[in-house]
Amino acid sequence: MSDYSYGYAQQTLEYIQKFTHFKPKTAIVAGSGLGGIADMVKDSVQIYARDIPNWPGSTAPGHAGKIIIGQIHGRPVILLQGRIHCYEGYSMKAVTFPTRIAGMMGVKEYIATNASGAINRSYNPGDIIAMKDHINLMGSNPLSGPNEDRWNERFPDMTHTYDSKILDFLSSEIGLKKGVYAAMSGPSFETPAEINMLRILGADLVGMSTVPEVITANAMGMKVTGLSCVANMAAGIEPDKTLTAQEVLEVMEKFSDKLAEIIISIIDKLNQE
């Protein structure tokens, strides 16, 4: 069993580099039901997670469990198609291991996508929200434990976690709303009382992922963008509505193309810099 240390990460990186000479600049993480984003990657090499040494396998519905390395509009990218979650029984170190590998490959920009429940009543299912900040209520932090100086400093700043230039671009030129994402541990959906608590705390969205990898990417010096696709209204907002994982996947698949277009716009913006 991997301890997800720097040494294990080096083994993993050496294996991946046998398949491609690409040096990705941008990492893209496909959340629940958003695996169709893979169609954007050209001249690609696909590696199944189950074949990669030390790589934790995804068991969540809608997560394919593979990495794709290639290019989008000429920009070298790595697509992580299949996120790992703490609710699957993995540690924070395991959940953020793919992020560590991306950073060691030289990735400079980290684009995380996810499915979420809307706390903000002005949002609707299918809306894609640009994450401007987050609240970590998962009960742990991926940077806990002995620090690895080759990865990050002990106390990284989190004031400007989400890239302000891309946020402004998504808001002013793409027309996306901005919001605060609250991360809960799952796997049960939140209760109406918990949603009321999150609203008081200032959250617009709630989900069970993304924040651990964002903390890690930020600590490793990557510029982070978060795109959250609203799958449903959070618990209690529609009192007679029962939340289901199947509904989440169906909504995500329906709006996958819309999200892909936004990611391409971000890539084009990065290519201009």
Side-chain angles (χ1 to χ4, degrees):
M1 175 63 70
S2 173
D3 63 0
Y4 304 107
S5 65
Y6 191 89
Y8 277 94
Q10 286 180 312
Q11 294 175 4
T12 302
L13 185 58
E14 288 171 5
Y15 178 84
I16 293 172
Q17 289 175 331
K18 292 178 181 178
F19 294 88
T20 179
H21 297 293
F22 264 89
K23 296 186 181 299
K25 293 182 179 179
T26 306
I28 304 166
V29 184
S32 299
L34 298 172
I37 295 171
D39 295 337
M40 299 188 301
V41 185
K42 307 303 180 184
D43 304 320
S44 64
V45 172
Q46 301 189 22
I47 311 172
Y48 282 92
R50 63 175 179 266
D51 298 326
I52 304 174
N54 310 314
W55 197 278
S58 177
T59 65
H63 292 260
K66 60 184 176 181
I67 67 172
I68 301 172
I69 302 172
Q71 58 90 15
I72 298 176
H73 285 199
R75 191 171 194 82
V77 302
I78 177 170
L79 174 66
L80 305 176
Q81 192 181 18
R83 173 182 275 124
I84 298 99
H85 305 78
C86 289
Y87 65 69
E88 297 174 73
Y90 286 115
S91 68
M92 281 280 185
K93 300 293 186 187
V95 166
T96 57
F97 190 71
T99 309
R100 293 294 192 192
I101 299 300
M104 291 173 72
M105 294 181 78
V107 164
K108 302 302 182 186
E109 303 97 18
Y110 194 90
I111 303 172
T113 72
N114 62 45
S116 62
I119 299 171
N120 189 321
R121 294 175 184 270
S122 72
Y123 298 171
N124 295 292
D127 284 353
I128 295 174
I129 310 299
M131 293 167 58
K132 66 178 182 179
D133 207 342
H134 69 242
I135 303 171
N136 180 15
L137 294 173
M138 302 184 80
S140 185
N141 188 298
L143 307 183
S144 296
N147 192 57
E148 173 53 72
D149 293 334
R150 289 171 290 185
W151 273 338
N152 54 260
E153 61 181 277
R154 173 79 282 190
F155 302 107
D157 179 62
M158 296 291 294
T159 307
H160 304 289
T161 302
Y162 297 89
D163 185 4
S164 59
K165 288 185 179 180
I166 296 299
L167 265 174
D168 290 342
F169 167 74
L170 292 172
S171 175
S172 62
E173 298 191 38
I174 305 299
L176 297 189
K177 299 175 183 177
K178 295 185 285 188
V180 176
Y181 177 93
M184 305 286 277
S185 62
S188 59
F189 288 109
E190 302 72 32
T191 67
E194 288 169 336
I195 295 303
N196 285 333
M197 173 194 72
L198 294 174
R199 182 181 294 109
I200 292 169
L201 291 176
D204 298 293
L205 303 155
V206 63
M208 306 172 191
S209 69
T210 306
V211 165
E213 68 211 49
V214 163
I215 293 172
T216 302
N218 176 75
M220 294 184 78
M222 293 179 245
K223 295 180 179 180
V224 176
T225 299
L227 297 171
S228 190
C229 187
V230 176
N232 48 40
M233 303 307 292
I237 294 179
E238 298 175 326
D240 298 327
K241 186 74 177 290
T242 299
L243 305 182
T244 68
Q246 183 60 36
E247 178 189 25
V248 171
L249 294 178
E250 289 174 357
V251 173
M252 295 303 98
E253 290 169 1
K254 182 177 179 181
F255 291 95
S256 180
D257 289 345
K258 178 181 177 182
L259 182 60
E261 291 174 2
I262 293 171
I263 291 175
I264 288 174
S265 296
I266 295 172
I267 294 294
D268 289 341
K269 177 69 173 178
L270 292 172
N271 281 335
Q272 294 171 12
E273 297 180 354

